[in-house]
C-alpha cells in the first residue's frame, strides 16, 4: 500500500452513514408488493451496499422481469421517508475536516443514485467536504461499482487511480477499486466483515475512524 494519496473516494452507505433503518424498510415495502412479508428487518441488511438488481436477484430470486418494479417500489419509499431514516457515524465530520485540512481531496463513490446521495450529504452537512459526488443513475445505468469509481475519477478531472484510495465497507468497493487499478481500505464499522473485505483483496483494513485517519495521513 502507498504511504501517501492525493484523493480519497468514500462509499456512502455503511461508510459515511448508517442507513440500516431506511434501506431495510424500503426493501420491506418493495417485497410486500410481491407478497413477501419480512418482519425481521435485520435479515435485509445484506441489501446495504451492493447494486439493488444484484441483491433482489441473489437474495430473493427475482428475474429481469420483476427487478425493475422491485427497485422502483423501493425507491418510492426511500425518496419519501427512507433517506431520512439514517444516522451519521460518530466522529465522521471531524475526520473529514481533518482529512481536508491535511490537503487531501475527497469524493463520494456510491452505488446509490447520486440524487439521493447528495440529499443525504446535504442533510448531514457533509457535502462541503467533497469535491465530487458520483453514484448510480435512476434509469439503471452505471450501477457497477467499478463504473461509478471510473465516473468519479473523470469528475475529479481524470486523476490517476494510482494516486487514489477507495474506502468502503463491502467487497464491491474493494473489487471496484481493483478493477480500475486503485488501492482500497475496507472499514469494519459498516456491513461487511473482515473476512469479506480481506477475501476480496482489500489493501488495508480499518477497524475504526481513528485507524482510518492514521492509514491515510500517516499520523
Amino acid at each position: 500500500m502507498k504511504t501517501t494519496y492525493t484523493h480519497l473516494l468514500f462509499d456512502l452507505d455503511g461508510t459515511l452513514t448508517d442507513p440500516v433503518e431506511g434501506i431495510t424498510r424500503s426493501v420491506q415495502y418493495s417485497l410486500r408488493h410481491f407478497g413477501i412479508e419480512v418482519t425481521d428487518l435485520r435479515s435485509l441488511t445484506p441489501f446495504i451496499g451492493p447494486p439493488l438488481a444484484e441483491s433482489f436477484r441473489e437474495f430473493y430470486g427475482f428475474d429481469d422481469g420483476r427487478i425493475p418494479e422491485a427497485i422502483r417500489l423501493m425507491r418510492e419509499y426511500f425518496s419519501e421517508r427512507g433517506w431520512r431514516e439514517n444516522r451519521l457515524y460518530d466522529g465522521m465530520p471531524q475526520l473529514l475536516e481533518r482529512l481536508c485540512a491535511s490537503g487531501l481531496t475527497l469524493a463520494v463513490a456510491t452505488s446509490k443514485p447520486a440524487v439521493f446521495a447528495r440529499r443525504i450529504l446535504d442533510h448531514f452537512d457533509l457535502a462541503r467536504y467533497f469535491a465530487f459526488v458520483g453514484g448510480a443513475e435512476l434509469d439503471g445505468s452505471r450501477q457497477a461499482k467499478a463504473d461509478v469509481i471510473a465516473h468519479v475519477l473523470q469528475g475529479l478531472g481524470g486523476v490517476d487511480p494510482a494516486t487514489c484510495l477507495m474506502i468502503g465497507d463491502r467487497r464491491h468497493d474493494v473489487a471496484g477499486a481493483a478493477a480500475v487499478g486503485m488501492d482500497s481500505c475496507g472499514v469494519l464499522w459498516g456491513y461487511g466483515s473482515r473476512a469479506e473485505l480481506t477475501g476480496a483483496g482489500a489493501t488495508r483494513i480499518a477497524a475504526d475512524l481513528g485507524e482510518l485517519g492514521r492509514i491515510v495521513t500517516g499520523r
Side-chain angles (χ1 to χ4, degrees):
M1 179 173 178
K2 296 169 68 69
T3 56
T4 59
Y5 297 94
T6 59
H7 295 73
L8 304 179
L9 279 62
F10 283 82
D11 176 45
L12 177 59
D13 292 340
T15 302
L16 293 173
T17 68
D18 184 355
V20 62
E21 182 179 357
I23 289 182
T24 57
R25 289 191 182 280
S26 298
V27 177
Q28 180 190 50
Y29 173 85
S30 177
L31 292 173
R32 185 174 291 138
H33 173 81
F34 295 94
I36 302 170
E37 189 62 46
V38 178
T39 56
D40 182 4
L41 292 177
R42 292 173 299 179
S43 69
L44 299 177
T45 56
F47 276 82
I48 300 173
L52 292 177
E54 177 181 326
S55 294
F56 278 111
R57 183 178 294 110
E58 179 179 352
F59 303 131
Y60 284 91
F62 280 24
D63 57 24
D64 291 342
R66 292 198 294 175
I67 285 174
E69 180 67 358
I71 293 175
R72 185 193 70 78
L73 289 162
M74 181 178 172
R75 287 177 176 165
E76 180 177 272
Y77 180 96
F78 191 84
S79 66
E80 290 292 325
R81 297 176 56 186
W83 72 273
R84 293 187 182 90
E85 297 170 331
N86 205 328
R87 182 180 68 83
L88 185 63
Y89 286 115
D90 292 342
M92 187 58 69
Q94 293 81 359
L95 174 64
L96 298 177
E97 182 76 37
R98 174 187 170 196
L99 297 178
C100 288
S102 72
L104 291 159
T105 298
L106 312 185
V108 172
T110 174
S111 294
K112 184 184 296 299
V115 62
F116 293 146
R118 294 188 187 99
R119 189 185 301 176
I120 291 166
L121 293 170
D122 286 338
H123 177 69
F124 288 115
D125 194 28
L126 297 183
R128 58 198 173 103
Y129 297 114
F130 298 102
F132 188 82
V133 177
E137 294 294 339
L138 289 171
D139 65 5
S141 61
R142 201 167 59 236
Q143 291 192 35
K145 200 58 180 260
D147 294 339
V148 172
I149 293 172
H151 171 66
V152 172
L153 293 176
Q154 287 303 115
L156 291 170
V159 296
D160 183 352
T163 68
C164 305
L165 181 70
M166 178 69 212
I167 299 163
D169 68 314
R170 300 301 307 275
R171 60 183 173 84
H172 307 79
D173 302 306
V174 175
V180 302
M182 186 184 299
D183 283 354
S184 59
C185 182
V187 302
L188 297 182
W189 57 82
Y191 290 88
S193 65
R194 183 181 292 272
E196 175 183 331
L197 294 164
T198 56
T203 315
R204 288 288 295 273
I205 300 291
D208 53 40
L209 270 64
E211 186 172 11
L212 176 60
R214 291 189 292 274
I215 286 171
V216 298
T217 66
R219 58 183 188 279

